[in-house]
Amino acid sequence: MAGGAAAPGAVLRAINAILMQRRYRAALAVLKGFRNGAVYGAKIRAPHALVMTFLFRSGSLREKLKSIAQATYTHARNLAYFVFTYKGLMAVQSRLQGKKIPFHSFFAACVGGWLVFGENNPINSQIVMYLLSRILFGLSRLAVEKGYVPQPKQDPFPLVAALVWGTVLWLFEYHRQTLQPSLQASMTYLYDDSNEWHDISDFLIYNKKPASK
């Protein structure tokens, strides 16, 4: 009995010893990156899918739960695959060249982006657009830091906010089909559905009057 109880402890110590060995660090970092990508993707997508599905999607409870599970799985899987690919290519390039250089990051991420996020579907599209907005802000700040663009005398954010909102509402009103479906659904709820009501029930309580049975 004592020997049986000691066996799991010995296995755990052996695993911990392997985890602490420097020669395995790059490969183990790739595996942990896969784990963190899956967990982070699930944490990000699950609440978003839950809210968007129950707000805007019709269908039975089972269909809604299935949609939430599928979206969460896809986001978690893709992010896990991307982190695995990126960190793996970074380790290979660093090993081949003997050091880490900026191009390694760009190349590894390009390959991962092509392989993992290259399919044009709603989830990948949403992730890429999320990153694009951050990239534009980041490149703008970098251009100022490097001196390529002079430091603005006033905070440019109010102008950016005005142009972003002006452009997106113009697209929604006149070229709606160019916007992502989830954004169309959100804006339809905010700007179109608020023009329609029949009585106090669908003016204050419901967005649309429940279908009569």
Side-chain angles (χ1 to χ4, degrees), residues 53-68:
T53 298
F54 278 96
L55 275 180
F56 301 117
R57 190 182 180 96
S58 58
S60 66
L61 177 61
R62 182 174 181 175
E63 290 171 338
K64 290 179 178 179
L65 292 176
K66 182 179 179 181
S67 174
I68 293 168

Side-chain angles (χ1 to χ4, degrees), residues 169-187:
L169 264 300
W170 173 75
L171 286 172
F172 176 72
E173 294 287 357
Y174 300 104
H175 304 281
R176 188 170 304 191
Q177 74 283 359
T178 63
L179 298 177
Q180 191 194 29
S182 63
L183 181 57
Q184 289 185 44
S186 300
M187 291 197 157

